Amino acid sequence: MSAAPTSSSLLVSATEPVYVPKALVEPLWIRILLGTIALLFLTLFLFVPLAAVFTEALKKGWGVYLAAITEDDAVSAIKLTLISASIAVPLNLVFGVAAAWAIAKFEFRGKSILLTLIDLPFSVSPIISGLIYVLIFGAQGWIGPWLRDHDIKILFAVPGIVLATIFVTFPFVARELIPLMQAQGSEEEEAALVLGASGWKTFWHVTLPNIKWGLLYGVILCNARAMGEFGAVSVVSGHIRGETNTIPLQVEILYNEYNFTAAFAVASLLALLAIVTLALKSFIAWRLRETISEQPNQHHLEQ
């Protein structure tokens, strides 16, 4: 009977170069060609438009730029965007964790239906989702007359914008956590429960540390979509200046009024958000890959 491999031998074997068949390695000229095409595509459709936004925003100087983003309607749009995101993202975080926990850890009837419903906002146009809210809460909608009689405003007010934002963003956290929690399995949680830990302690001390990077990844994507959503919010907002306009809607109004400098100045705030989101997303994706790659190695060494 052969002896079991030691941890030192496993570490040595892990550092040995991996043989890659030549058939799987593309020629140099193909790699250069593909890289050049990708770089040209990114330059044409990402870097040039991004540079154009900041160039137009700063075209008339910093004074005009600051005046555009501190104007009353712009400030109101920024506040409303932050309010809707600050409500939608935490709610989607709670829903995403609960949905991922149920789908990844348990078997139950309707599981496939729940997965389908989570993916629904990805397949339905945001305009359609906004029209659904109009059908439900509008003056001629299903409960519109009751809302009017009780002086409750959903459409053309903050509640409608928050509801539309929640609908278009709720899949992001759940969809990031479900495959991660399924890959991790439930062995650690079961061990904690056997050792006497309560369900709440098991979640805080076992589950949450294992999913923290995936959770942050989903929250960042959810926040970026919430602050940049246009279609659904446009339908339910009513475009009331200073009251129900978010940043994207404010950009549209300024552009339609041929106030291009102010439009690009306000749009630059969303561009800055996109850059920060991309940087955080890349960092968290790297940490998530590191976490996933470390777990099988640690489990193998422990055996």
Side-chain angles (χ1 to χ4, degrees), residues 272-289:
L272 288 172
L273 171 66
I275 294 173
V276 173
T277 300
L278 182 61
L280 291 174
K281 176 177 173 290
S282 300
F283 171 75
I284 292 176
W286 170 74
R287 286 295 306 157
L288 187 58
R289 287 194 300 269

Side-chain angles (χ1 to χ4, degrees), residues 185-270:
S186 57
E187 290 81 4
E188 294 186 16
E189 286 87 352
E190 292 173 357
L193 293 173
V194 169
L195 293 174
S198 63
W200 191 245
K201 285 187 177 180
T202 301
F203 173 78
W204 278 107
H205 297 286
V206 178
T207 304
L208 188 59
N210 288 337
I211 66 172
K212 61 180 179 181
W213 293 111
L215 184 62
L216 287 174
Y217 191 89
V219 167
I220 288 174
L221 293 179
C222 179
N223 182 69
R225 177 64 187 273
M227 298 185 73
E229 174 57 29
F230 178 84
V233 172
S234 177
V235 174
V236 302
S237 70
H239 293 266
I240 305 173
R241 298 188 68 156
E243 294 185 20
T244 63
N245 277 339
T246 58
I247 295 177
L249 301 183
Q250 181 68 11
V251 172
E252 181 197 28
I253 287 177
L254 293 173
Y255 191 86
N256 289 337
E257 293 176 348
Y258 302 101
N259 192 353
F260 299 126
T261 302
F264 280 104
V266 178
S268 68
L269 299 178
L270 290 177

Side-chain angles (χ1 to χ4, degrees), residues 1-14 297-303:
M1 177 180 290
S2 59
T6 62
S7 60
S8 59
S9 63
L10 290 173
L11 291 174
V12 171
S13 61
N297 293 334
Q298 290 176 353
H299 179 68
H300 189 54
L301 289 176
E302 288 173 358
Q303 288 180 336

Side-chain angles (χ1 to χ4, degrees), residues 65-301:
Y65 177 82
L66 293 175
I69 63 175
T70 56
E71 189 259 339
D72 290 342
D73 289 344
V75 172
S76 175
I78 294 171
K79 287 181 179 179
L80 181 56
T81 302
L82 294 176
I83 289 172
S84 60
S86 64
I87 297 174
V89 173
L91 291 177
N92 285 325
L93 185 152
V94 174
F95 167 79
V97 172
W101 179 284
I103 292 172
K105 306 296 183 181
F106 303 99
E107 294 294 333
F108 54 91
R109 290 184 178 180
K111 185 175 180 178
S112 59
I113 297 176
L114 178 58
L115 280 169
T116 302
L117 292 176
I118 290 175
D119 289 336
L120 187 63
F122 289 145
S123 56
V124 175
S125 169
I127 299 293
I128 301 301
S129 65
L131 290 176
I132 291 173
Y133 284 115
V134 173
L135 177 63
I136 297 174
F137 301 112
Q140 306 301 322
W142 294 346
I143 61 175
W146 183 87
L147 293 174
R148 184 179 62 251
D149 294 340
H150 292 79
D151 195 24
I152 300 174
K153 293 190 67 176
I154 301 295
L155 292 183
F156 313 140
V158 175
I161 295 173
V162 172
L163 287 174
T165 304
I166 291 173
F167 178 83
V168 299
T169 57
F170 78 78
F172 287 95
V173 176
R175 264 303 169 192
E176 290 300 325
L177 292 181
I178 289 172
L180 177 61
M181 296 177 74
Q182 286 176 334
Q184 291 174 346
S186 57
E187 290 81 4
E188 294 186 16
E189 286 87 352
E190 292 173 357
L193 293 173
V194 169
L195 293 174
S198 63
W200 191 245
K201 285 187 177 180
T202 301
F203 173 78
W204 278 107
H205 297 286
V206 178
T207 304
L208 188 59
N210 288 337
I211 66 172
K212 61 180 179 181
W213 293 111
L215 184 62
L216 287 174
Y217 191 89
V219 167
I220 288 174
L221 293 179
C222 179
N223 182 69
R225 177 64 187 273
M227 298 185 73
E229 174 57 29
F230 178 84
V233 172
S234 177
V235 174
V236 302
S237 70
H239 293 266
I240 305 173
R241 298 188 68 156
E243 294 185 20
T244 63
N245 277 339
T246 58
I247 295 177
L249 301 183
Q250 181 68 11
V251 172
E252 181 197 28
I253 287 177
L254 293 173
Y255 191 86
N256 289 337
E257 293 176 348
Y258 302 101
N259 192 353
F260 299 126
T261 302
F264 280 104
V266 178
S268 68
L269 299 178
L270 290 177
L272 288 172
L273 171 66
I275 294 173
V276 173
T277 300
L278 182 61
L280 291 174
K281 176 177 173 290
S282 300
F283 171 75
I284 292 176
W286 170 74
R287 286 295 306 157
L288 187 58
R289 287 194 300 269
E290 291 290 320
T291 301
I292 294 175
S293 63
E294 286 173 1
Q295 286 177 350
N297 293 334
Q298 290 176 353
H299 179 68
H300 189 54
L301 289 176

Side-chain angles (χ1 to χ4, degrees), residues 10-22:
L10 290 173
L11 291 174
V12 171
S13 61
T15 58
E16 294 178 355
V18 179
Y19 171 73
V20 180
K22 291 184 178 180

